[in-house]
Each structure stands twice: as C-alpha cells, then as structure tokens.
C-alpha cells in the first residue's frame, strides 16, 4: 500500500459538474462536437421510435434488469441502450418509466422528461418517498429554483432536517450563489448519514474537490480509506480516485489490485485503471493495448462493445479495427456508431467521410446525415456541405418523428454556430407533446440570442414564463423584452430578477410611460451595471443619454460591443454614442 504522504499530496482533483455525463472511458472529453453519439443514444432513449423485433432483443424485464445493473456501476451507455430496447418492446410499462427516471436522475439528462415521467407514475399510483428529492433535483436542472423550493416547503416539519432535504437545500443555495452555506449543509447532511458508507464517499468527494488544500487532503485521505471496502461504497471511492491526475505508480498499482479483487468491478473499471497506468507509462502503451486486444479476439460481443468504447475514447482506432474488422462493424447497429466515434476521436475525418458514403449502413439516414455534417465541417471550412447535411437530417427526422437524430443535428448546428439551423431543430423539439418543452425552449432562447431576433425571444420568453410562472428568471426575461419592444407594458411587473436588474426594468417602464423624472430617479438608485448583460447595459446607457447624463452614458456605451445586441438595444446604444 502507498504511504499516507503519497495519498494526500495530490495537488488537485478533476472536478465534475453535477450534470456532466461521465461515461466509461470518457466519451466526448477530448474532441469538440463529439457529444453526437451520446446525444443520439440518450435522445433515442427518450424519443426513440423504432420497430420492435422480438427475434433480436431480449424481453423487456431482462433488459430493464440489465439496465439497472449498468446504472449501479455507472455504465451509462449500456444502461441507455437497454432502456431504449425495452421501450421499443413495451413503451407504456411503468417499470420502464421508473428505470428511466432513475437513469435520468443519475446522469442529469433531460430533467423535463424526467418530471413528466414522474407525473405519469404518480397518476398511475406509483409514488415512492424518494420521488420528492428526484423531482427537486430535476426542477433545479430545468432552471426552476423556485419550483424546487416549493417542493421543499411542502415537506412536513419533521422531514425538513433529513439528509435528503438538506442536500436539496444545498443544491438550491448553490444555484443562488450561496456556495459557503451550501457546503455547510452538504457536510451536515453527510454527518446525519454517518452510518451510510455511500454518504461518506459523497462527503469525502466534497472535501477532495475543495479549493482549500487542507480540506482537499483530508478528503483524499478518507477516500483512500473508503476504497478499502469491498462494497458499492468502496467501488465508488475507487472510481473517483482512478480518474484523478497526478497519481503515483504505487497508488495506481494499489487501485489495480483493489479493482481486480472487487466482486462488483467490471471490465470498464479495469480499463479505467489501465488508462491511469498508461498515463504513467506511455512507452508501454502500444504493447499493453496490443496484448489487451489480442486477449479479447474471441470474447463476446458485449465485452467487445465495452472495450471498443474505451479504445475509441483513447483514440486507438487502429486497435479497434484489429479487435473488430470493418466488415463486421458495417453490419452491426451496436458497433457502427462506436467505430464512427472512434474515427472522429482520432481526427480521421477523410476516412470517416468515405465510410459514411457507403450504401446500406446500419443507421438511419438522418443519423448518418448528422455524422456526415460533422465530417464535412472539418474537411470543408466553408460549412456549405455541413449545412446541406444538417438540413437533410432535420427534415428527415422531423418527417419520421425520429427525434434522436433531430436532437443531435440541432446540437451539432449549435456547436458549429449555425444558429438558424440550430433554432429550427430546437423549435421542433420544443413541441409540448414531446415532454421536454422547457429544456428545448432554453436552447431556442440561446439560438435566438445569437441571431438577435427580439420577436423570437419574446415568443420564447412568453412560453417559458407560462410553463414556469414561479421562475424569476423567466419573468424578468419577459418583462425586459416587452419593455424593450414597447409592447404589453401594462403587464410588466418589474419585480423579477437579481440585483440591479429590477431597477433598469422599472426605469425602462417609467420611460416608456413618459415619466422621465421617475426614470431618472430609478436609474440613480440602481446599484451599478456590473450585473447586467451587454444588451441591458446598452439600454441603461441610452436612458442616461436621453435623460441628460450624456458624459456617463458615453463612458458606458463605448465599452459595449454591438455584435450580439438586438436591433432595439442597438438603437438605445446609438443614443449614447
């Protein structure tokens, strides 16, 4: 075992955001735009429509059992694929809905659909005590902080101090900027579950991710101790530790022994250890991976899928080809997406483009169009071909109701800054019947912001506010756009928003109503402009100018770039220049 000095001296840890997808091997971590495979997989899980073939798929119950096992070991791609297949078999199965809720809660994906699934379960009488915390987390991920608070307020007094309630309160405080208070609540929650080893792991991870070196060292030391366990908590500690940079050779060797001995550790865990070993011994990379591939030549398809994902993430495409010949890949719905991902990870865009031009590939035409767009964006910088392929993907996906490729096409268009195409895709995905309206409306908002289209922004803000009437963020957006455009002024409350924002809204409302004296008083009472977005600062500067403070208006205006301003905001900016 490595000594204690080794274990606690790691300078920092790799911090993961709460909603980040952590796949075995780290898909999408090294090349921009490579969330495509994950988006296709998860969107197919939620939206997928595909004919069920009993000849090629196991029973729904068996698939859901496999999915739950994959969730427990954090093998998200295997979990998603099994859930998708189960949904094809029995789309209305309540057990399926429950597993989907669990999957989406653990991964942080598609909170709007997660809330819809919970409502369907409750309507069917399938309510569980933990659903409150799950709904609270999903509300936060949807941006509905007030909604999460409302859920907490419904709790009986005796449940307000439970660890689950404290963790939800902490998450709400983090969203509101109260990080220090949130951290105290997280530790209090951990103390109240002292007999829960998984809670101890969570508490140690909190400390290990601290910015303070003493706290960080304490967290790492506790994680090494927890890694001695032979249960789920021990494996969770090991998974965190093995992902950290700066591990010493003795530490990696110790983790290798622990993972090998742990009864619940799988091939993905062993490969994670191998990744850590190869970071320390890059000269051994070729021989070790070559030996690994040779040993698995006759392994089952399930094992080869895990190894293939890891090889793709490690950018070892040649080794992947050695493991599974292309003639096999080109006939397999499971292997083909991984192989294409591998080509992209390796930057082999020309080969990828040539493969995608072949006929009878095991993927829908709209899915192939998304990958062709990605390859074209790297091979043809003018983006013309990429746009053609994305338009094809969006059109075909919308016509067939195949929302997986539609989601992927919109995401790729966003990553390529093709905002009109991104907006088109997200608007189709924001249909109320799809059950993920709020999440997709936020994507519409982002695309419309880049396009500077106040009409689209107003329509989006109105829909968001209708869906979440308790959200201060959406209320402020709607108030601001109404005032900016001079529409529906009587409906503006001017009370929503954070520090500084209500003052500019109130001042703009007074200006629109012709009360310049009140507008000037409200601007004078504002607490500066640092918290305002560029467009709001432009309006602020314009108001100062028309109210007589031209010098201060110019000082503000000259620092504002008009690039992302709406036409109405640019008009205010011009008043100050």
């Amino acid at each position: 075992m490595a000594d204690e000095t080794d274990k606690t001296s790691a300078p920092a840890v790799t911090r993961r955001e709460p909603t980040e997808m952590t796949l075995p091997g780290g898909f999408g971590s090294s090349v921009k735009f490579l969330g495509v495979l994950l988006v296709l997989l998860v969107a197919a899980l939620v939206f997928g429509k595909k004919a069920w073939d009993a000849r090629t798929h196991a029973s729904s119950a068996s698939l859901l059992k496999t999915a739950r096992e994959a969730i427990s070991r954090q093998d998200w791609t295997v979990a998603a694929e099994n859930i998708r297949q189960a949904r094809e078999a029995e789309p209305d199965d309540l057990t399926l809905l429950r597993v989907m809720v669990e999957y989406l809660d653990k991964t942080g994906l598609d909170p709007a659909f997660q809330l819809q699934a919970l409502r369907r379960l409750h309507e069917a009488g399938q309510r569980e005590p933990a659903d409150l915390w799950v709904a609270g987390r999903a509300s936060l991920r949807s941006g509905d902080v007030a909604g999460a608070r409302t859920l907490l307020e419904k709790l009986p007094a005796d449940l307000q101090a439970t660890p689950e309630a404290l963790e939800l309160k902490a998450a709400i405080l983090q969203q509101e900027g109260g990080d220090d208070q949130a951290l105290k609540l997280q530790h209090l929650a951990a103390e109240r579950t002292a007999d829960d080893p998984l809670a101890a792991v969570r508490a140690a991870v909190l400390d290990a991710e601290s910015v303070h070196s003493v706290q960080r060292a304490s967290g790492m030391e506790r994680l090494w101790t927890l890694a001695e366990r032979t249960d789920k908590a021990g494996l969770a500690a090991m998974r965190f530790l093995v992902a950290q940079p700066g591990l010493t050779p003795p530490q990696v060797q110790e983790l290798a022994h622990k993972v090998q001995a742990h009864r619940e550790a799988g091939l993905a865990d062993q490969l994670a250890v191998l990744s850590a070993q190869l970071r320390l011994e890059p000269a051994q990379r070729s021989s070790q991976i070559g030996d690994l591939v040779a040993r698995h030549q006759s392994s089952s398809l399930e094992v080869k899928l895990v190894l293939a994902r890891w090889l793709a993430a490690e950018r070892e495409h040649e080794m992947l080809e050695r493991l599974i010949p292309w003639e096999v890949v080109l006939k397999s719905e499971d292997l083909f997406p991984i192989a294409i991902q591998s080509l992209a990870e390796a930057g082999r865009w020309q080969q990828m483009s040539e493969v995608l031009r072949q006929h009878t590939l095991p993927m829908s035409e709209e899915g192939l169009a998304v990958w062709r767009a990605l390859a074209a964006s790297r091979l043809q910088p003018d983006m013309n071909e990429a746009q053609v392929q994305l338009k094809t993907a969006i059109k075909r996906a919308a016509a067939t109701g195949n929302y997986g490729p539609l989601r992927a096409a919109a995401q790729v268009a966003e990553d390529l800054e093709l905002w009109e195409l991104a907006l088109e895709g997200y608007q189709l995905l924001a249909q109320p019947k799809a059950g993920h309206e709020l999440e997709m409306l936020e994507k519409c908002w982002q695309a419309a912001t880049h396009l500077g289209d106040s009409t689209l922004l107003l329509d989006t803000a109105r829909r968001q506010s209708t869906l979440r009437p308790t959200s201060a963020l959406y209320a402020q957006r709607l108030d601001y756009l109404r005032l900016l455009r001079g529409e529906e002024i009587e409906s503006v409350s001017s009370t929503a928003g954070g520090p500084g924002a209500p003052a500019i809204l109130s001042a703009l409302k007074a200006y629109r109503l012709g009360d310049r004296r009140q507008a000037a008083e409200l601007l004078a009472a504002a607490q500066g402009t640092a918290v305002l977005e560029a467009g709001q600062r432009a309006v602020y500067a314009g108001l100062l100018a028309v109210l007589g403070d031209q010098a201060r208006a110019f000082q503000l205006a000259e620092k504002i770039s008009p690039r992302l301003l709406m036409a109405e905001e640019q008009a205010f900016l011009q008043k100050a220049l």
Side-chain angles (χ1 to χ4, degrees):
M1 180 182 296
D3 61 47
E4 296 300 317
T5 302
D6 283 340
K7 291 180 181 177
T8 60
S9 61
V13 300
T14 300
R15 185 176 181 85
R16 292 172 179 160
E17 294 302 317
T19 58
E20 180 184 342
M21 276 293 287
T22 308
L23 300 182
F27 268 128
S29 61
S30 54
V31 179
K32 191 178 180 183
F33 311 144
L34 293 185
V36 182
L37 178 59
L38 180 58
V39 170
L40 282 167
L41 188 59
V42 175
L45 178 160
V46 177
F47 311 116
K49 292 183 178 179
K50 184 178 176 182
W52 170 256
D53 185 350
R55 296 169 300 174
T56 58
H57 296 292
S59 71
S60 178
S62 174
L63 290 164
L64 292 177
K65 180 177 182 292
T66 302
R68 276 187 157 141
E69 292 170 351
I71 290 170
S72 70
R73 64 176 185 270
Q74 300 180 16
D75 194 343
W76 309 122
T77 49
V78 170
E81 178 59 25
N82 278 273
I83 294 171
R84 181 186 66 77
Q85 292 182 21
R87 193 172 189 225
E88 291 167 5
E90 298 181 44
D92 298 320
D93 181 29
L94 294 179
T95 303
L96 166 67
L97 273 182
R98 178 59 66 185
V99 176
M100 290 177 75
V101 166
E102 181 182 354
Y103 173 86
L104 295 172
D105 182 50
K106 294 291 178 63
T107 60
L109 289 165
D110 211 329
F113 180 84
Q114 186 181 347
L115 289 169
Q116 184 196 44
L118 278 171
R119 284 194 294 270
R120 288 176 59 188
L121 285 167
H122 295 171
E123 289 167 359
Q126 301 290 317
R127 188 182 296 270
E128 294 184 0
D131 286 352
L132 177 66
W133 324 117
V134 173
R137 287 191 291 268
S139 295
L140 282 177
R141 288 163 179 159
S142 297
D144 186 11
V145 179
R149 278 203 175 279
T150 300
L151 286 169
L152 271 177
E153 290 167 0
K154 291 179 180 178
L155 279 175
D158 60 330
L159 293 181
Q160 289 285 343
T162 60
E164 294 87 355
L166 292 173
E167 288 179 354
L168 185 54
K169 287 178 183 177
I172 291 171
L173 285 168
Q174 282 182 322
Q175 291 287 328
E176 296 173 339
D179 290 342
D180 292 339
Q181 190 178 356
L183 188 59
K184 290 178 182 177
L185 285 177
Q186 288 169 334
H187 280 289
L188 182 58
E191 290 172 8
R192 293 184 180 179
T193 54
D195 57 344
D196 180 355
L198 282 172
V201 173
R202 291 195 296 270
V205 167
L206 286 174
D207 283 342
E209 292 179 334
S210 170
V211 297
H212 304 294
S213 59
V214 174
Q215 194 171 352
R216 188 166 66 239
S218 172
M220 291 296 286
E221 182 176 5
R222 279 148 47 212
L223 283 165
W224 279 102
T225 300
L226 287 162
E228 300 285 344
R229 301 178 63 94
T230 58
D231 55 9
K232 291 182 184 296
L235 187 57
M238 282 184 251
R239 284 171 173 165
F240 181 87
L241 290 169
V242 79
Q244 302 313 309
L247 291 174
T248 64
Q251 288 174 334
V252 173
Q253 188 63 29
E254 180 180 350
L255 286 170
H257 288 314
K258 291 182 184 303
V259 167
Q260 188 67 35
H262 201 289
R263 64 180 182 274
E264 295 188 34
L267 177 59
D269 296 302
Q270 295 169 13
L271 293 173
V273 172
L274 180 56
S275 292
Q277 292 172 329
L278 295 178
R279 288 196 295 270
L280 291 172
E281 302 175 349
Q284 301 298 316
R285 184 179 187 87
S286 179
S287 61
Q288 289 211 39
I289 294 180
D291 291 344
L292 177 70
V293 168
R295 289 199 305 273
H296 286 286
Q297 285 295 323
S298 58
S299 294
S300 67
L301 177 60
E302 183 179 2
V303 169
K304 285 187 175 182
L305 282 170
V306 175
L307 183 54
R309 293 186 196 104
W310 181 79
L311 289 170
E314 291 286 333
R315 302 187 184 187
E316 290 289 348
H317 185 75
E318 291 182 2
M319 290 294 183
L320 194 153
E321 288 182 329
R322 188 183 302 179
L323 176 70
I324 308 170
W326 266 108
E327 55 267 26
V328 175
V329 168
L330 294 176
K331 297 176 182 177
S332 170
E333 292 184 3
D334 296 313
L335 291 167
F336 181 73
I338 297 172
I340 290 297
Q341 177 86 10
S342 177
L343 287 171
E345 288 278 10
R348 297 168 68 164
W349 304 106
Q350 187 60 49
Q351 183 182 354
M352 178 177 167
S353 179
E354 292 170 359
V355 169
L356 291 170
R357 285 200 293 267
Q358 297 185 39
H359 298 293
T360 63
L361 294 172
M363 182 181 285
S364 69
E365 186 57 36
E366 48 269 33
L368 290 169
V370 176
W371 285 109
R372 289 175 184 135
L374 188 57
S377 71
R378 291 303 182 93
L379 296 171
Q380 302 177 33
D382 62 12
M383 295 296 167
N384 290 336
E385 180 61 20
Q387 291 186 68
V388 168
Q389 292 297 335
L390 288 173
K391 287 177 182 177
T392 298
I394 291 171
K395 182 178 180 180
R396 290 182 64 96
T400 60
N402 194 353
Y403 291 110
L406 179 57
R407 176 72 180 268
Q411 182 65 59
V412 171
E414 178 185 342
D415 291 338
L416 296 175
E417 299 184 1
L418 300 173
W419 297 111
E420 291 183 355
L421 283 173
L423 179 64
E424 181 182 352
Y426 288 133
Q427 284 179 324
L428 289 167
L429 289 162
Q431 299 173 39
K433 64 179 181 180
H436 54 289
E437 185 178 4
L438 192 65
E439 182 187 0
M440 293 299 100
L441 282 174
E442 186 61 26
K443 289 288 193 178
C444 291
W445 174 271
Q446 294 167 9
T449 297
H450 282 275
L451 292 170
D453 191 325
S454 66
T455 301
L456 286 170
L457 286 168
L458 179 61
D459 177 64
T460 303
R462 189 180 288 111
R463 289 176 64 186
Q464 288 175 319
S465 187
T466 300
L467 287 169
R468 289 292 183 272
T470 61
S471 170
L473 170 64
Y474 298 148
Q476 180 186 315
R477 284 179 177 178
L478 185 56
D479 281 352
Y480 176 68
L481 285 160
R482 283 168 167 167
L483 290 168
L484 184 65
R485 292 166 58 88
E487 300 176 6
E488 307 171 27
I489 297 174
E490 68 284 352
S491 301
V492 175
S493 65
S494 300
T495 59
I504 183 65
L505 290 175
S506 299
L508 184 54
K509 182 176 183 178
Y511 171 75
R512 289 296 191 197
L513 294 174
D515 192 340
R516 294 195 170 202
R517 187 180 71 175
Q518 185 185 21
E521 290 173 353
L522 288 165
L523 282 181
Q527 302 296 313
T529 61
V531 297
L532 301 180
E533 297 176 353
Q536 292 177 333
R537 291 200 304 274
V539 172
Y540 191 104
L543 287 175
L544 284 175
V546 299
L547 294 172
D549 194 347
Q550 188 67 49
R552 188 178 168 208
F554 181 78
Q555 288 179 338
L556 274 175
E558 66 177 350
K559 299 175 184 177
I560 300 171
S561 169
R563 189 172 65 88
L564 286 181
L565 300 185
M566 289 176 271
E568 296 87 349
E569 292 169 334
Q570 292 184 23
F572 273 97
L573 184 65
Q574 289 304 312
K575 296 177 189 294
L577 295 174

